[in-house]
Amino acid sequence: MASEQFGGATEADLQAALRGDEAGFVVVYRSVHPGLLRYARVLAGDDAEDVCAETWLQVCRDLGSFTGNLDNFRGFVARVARNRAIDAARARGRRPTGLLPVEEIDELHPTVAASSEESALTSLATEEAMRLIADLPRDQAEAIVLRVVLGLDAKTSAAVLGKRAGAVRTASYRGLRTLQERLRAEDSGPNKTIPQ
């Protein structure tokens, strides 16, 4: 089940949040926010944290009118984030070119203690993956982050992007193929010798 894959929030947590239960909202927030931040970094670069803050403000404001399940909620939050990122880009008058490193959010799983080395390697791998994704054409990058990082299905991703599900599947497929080709090219690059 997708909700278990992404931070452990359940439908019951979402329903509690929708009823105004703070603990339920905290569980849902902690489940959704890490992927949302990564998505915002692809869309807004240096403005990602501001975009996320604006997103959560709007989500809280509109929470009472939301209906649907946890997957619909993640799609709703992604759509709000996309709109806030577009607003931020308009305000800047230019498209972002940089990408901030992805932060580790270990507090989501306090019972799983990873070693410092594992945490550093995971952080580097995540940062590198997000950098590679951000270098793709925007439609491909968005499709991959929505499908893989946020775990949305093609239909929900299409609703977020204002496209058809087939177009989202095609964009994510093309983006993943491009990533694969780039990784192969990096792996088969000239061997570097270590000076002695």
Side-chain angles (χ1 to χ4, degrees):
M1 181 176 210
S3 63
E4 292 173 6
Q5 180 183 355
F6 295 95
T10 65
E11 296 297 331
D13 295 323
L14 176 62
Q15 294 308 312
L18 294 176
R19 288 190 308 270
D21 179 65
E22 186 177 336
F25 184 81
V26 167
V27 172
V28 171
Y29 171 85
R30 287 182 176 173
S31 173
V32 174
H33 187 72
L36 177 68
L37 182 58
R38 289 182 179 112
Y39 181 52
R41 287 191 194 290
V42 168
L43 295 176
D46 291 342
D47 293 332
E49 290 182 15
D50 292 338
V51 165
C52 284
E54 291 293 325
T55 298
W56 285 112
L57 283 173
Q58 183 174 343
V59 167
C60 288
R61 195 172 40 242
D62 297 344
L63 199 58
S65 63
F66 174 79
T67 57
N69 63 22
L70 193 54
D71 289 334
N72 299 132
F73 182 76
R74 284 196 322 266
F76 164 67
V77 172
R79 181 65 177 181
V80 172
R82 187 171 195 267
N83 290 338
R84 295 296 68 80
I86 290 169
D87 291 346
R90 285 183 185 142
R92 272 191 327 273
R94 63 175 176 78
R95 186 167 175 221
T97 56
L99 182 68
L100 293 175
V102 177
E103 297 173 65
E104 281 296 312
I105 306 183
D106 291 332
E107 64 270 8
L108 292 178
H109 304 287
T111 59
V112 180
S115 73
S116 299
E117 183 177 325
E118 289 171 345
S119 293
L121 291 175
T122 300
S123 179
L124 288 173
T126 302
E127 182 179 329
E128 178 65 11
M130 294 310 294
R131 184 193 61 76
L132 290 171
I133 291 169
D135 286 342
L136 292 171
R138 187 176 178 125
D139 66 323
Q140 293 175 12
E142 283 190 83
I144 289 172
V145 174
L146 288 172
R147 302 277 325 269
V148 177
V149 177
L150 284 176
L152 302 180
D153 61 19
K155 183 179 176 183
T156 306
S157 298
V160 169
L161 298 173
K163 297 182 176 191
R164 295 182 329 272
V168 171
R169 282 194 285 285
T170 299
S172 62
Y173 172 78
R174 287 180 179 161
L176 290 171
R177 292 266 325 245
T178 301
L179 287 174
Q180 183 181 30
E181 291 169 7
R182 288 180 182 172
L183 289 172
R184 283 184 182 155
E186 285 181 13
D187 287 344
S188 63
N191 292 335
K192 295 181 180 178
T193 57
I194 300 173
Q196 296 182 355

